[in-house]
Amino acid sequence: MLAAVPPSRAMSKWSVGRKPSRTLGLLLLVILSYLVLRRLDWYNLVPAWLRHRQSGLQANGQHFMLEDSTFWIFGGSVHYFRVPKEYWKDRLLKMKACGLNTLTTYVPWNLHEPERGKFDFSGNLDLEAFVLMAEEIGLWVILRPGPYICSEIDLGGLPSWLLQDSGMRLRTTYKGFTEAVDLYFDHLMSRVVPLQYKHGGPIIAVQVENEYGSYNRDPAYMPYIKKALEDRGIVELLLTSDNKDGLQKGVMDGVLATINLQSQHELQLLTNFLLSVQRVQPKMVMEYWTGWFDSWGGPHNILDSSEVLKTVSAILDAGSSINLYMFHGGTNFGFINGAMHFHDYKSDVTSYDYDAVLTEAGDYTAKYFKLRSFFGSISGIPLPPQPDLLPKVAYEPLSLNFYLSLWDALQYMEEPVNSEKPVNMENLPINNGNGQSFGYTLYETTIASSGVLSGLVRDRGQVFVNTVSIGFLDYEKKKIVIPLIQGYTRLRILVENRGRVNYGDNIDDQRKGLIGNIYLNDSPLKKFRIYSLDMKKSFFQRFSVDKWSPIPAVPTFPAFFLGVLSISLSPFDTFMKLEGWEKGVVFINGQNLGRYWNIGPQETLYLPGAWLDQGINQVIVFEEKMAGPVIQFTETPHLGRNQYLD
């Protein structure tokens, strides 16, 4: 009986019974298709450009092979997220004209997934467009996707929301970390896989994490990352890279080890070690450091161009491929700079000029001309012509005529978080539960007596009694005296995240803001109002024109200053010089150019012409302590020493 048969089977029997001709037709079609397909020449159906992409980049004895040909990697690092998208082509054409054949780039997880599960690959973060542009120009690509990348970027590129978990163990197989990596890699690798060489794209190799040997917290971690890449379709050559501190513990089975260094002495030591561990394999210096990054309050680091040429020549004479880190450094726009904290905490400057082969603004250096001549002499074919330099201009000095003190601005901000105790930046219940990643956080409470204020502030907290600044709390200064007050008084602490550590053993401890209780005379303070000053574009949209007033004779700080840069012709690149200003951040048309600080070594901020409009340009400066009379502009940067002198 039909009722005794499951509905699906009943429908199936009914269909066959009612329409035998359709069933027979389908069967004949399947048989005919099989016979036709057996006779097709599948080889000729595959496009010719893909037919020859069978093996990809391989380690074959002491040489790299790309298919059947010996291949030397002459690489250079450029980070798409540190260069305006409008200038990517300019920088890559200059790389090609220098005689290089391979682009390497990191992928910053913290910028691509600013909130858990919310991804951003638009504009300056369009990884796919960057990789495809490299292909169009004739460059191969080595991708370094992390998840940790170091790169002198905040928390080594890891998202700060990972630190909401008090037990988080970054760069290990801790479940809270691997679950987040898995979700990120699910999304990222769906974009990367089609760009691989064997799928017709330019990516010839992929790095497994970054310099893990010098961290080495979990022996299961690197195998996990390797499998995570392979399980999601990564089929190209896998690499590791380590410096002298980590090479011994960074080598893993099935992955080619490469080395990071700056001196010829290290080259000999490290290549001897690789030979003893890997036997005969191709040698590669994944990072030959063409310069170095700068920290606030330190010198501007430089490396002589003749020394660079000697070391590059020695690396190739040793039979090694090379990648120049950096070929072009670019800029730590916004608040993305990292920091170092070994003996002392030192945050990185906004410029990522790095004393690299191209300057921060993409101009040629003595290193470029010497390396172009060198690579040209060994390439065997004429190099492309050098692209013209992008023009620079020194605009007329700019006066900022309008003003809004921070204390007046608070009423226009989102409602503060009310909390019995201080809450660190990452654990604030804001941004859809993801906390605050970058910028400043303001803590307010009420006190009724003077005394000694103490606590852990990360990284720099300016302390106010009402609106009067009485000093700073930071890594060095953990106590400050509150002067005599009358009655109930508002205590405010404006805390800046100056940059989370990007390298070292203490990355798990990079929470920012007030860490734990803050004490007055050893008694914990309570009942805080906490404002998030992340200074995203949406932050300034609350400050409509009617909120600003003319600058008073004696401004109250911290404060926002507003002005207009008027440009009559096509805009060009320039550098802003904030002489007379002390410490703060500059925003142009909503773009965060980064921090300035009069302790140096950086004395100017790079302003790309691509971010300026012909006509009116809005300029906002957030200044913590002291405003200068004007903002000046110059055609050349000031980084402690002009790199053109090299």
Side-chain angles (χ1 to χ4, degrees), residues 253-274:
D253 291 339
V255 180
L256 183 71
T258 68
I259 54 182
N260 303 338
L261 53 80
Q262 191 168 71
S263 74
Q264 293 183 51
H265 174 67
E266 289 175 315
L267 173 66
Q268 188 64 48
L269 289 174
L270 297 183
T271 52
N272 286 344
F273 176 79
L274 282 182

Side-chain angles (χ1 to χ4, degrees), residues 439-456:
Y440 296 76
T441 307
L442 178 67
Y443 297 83
E444 285 189 351
T445 189
T446 302
I447 58 175
S449 66
S450 59
V452 177
L453 186 73
S454 62
L456 291 182

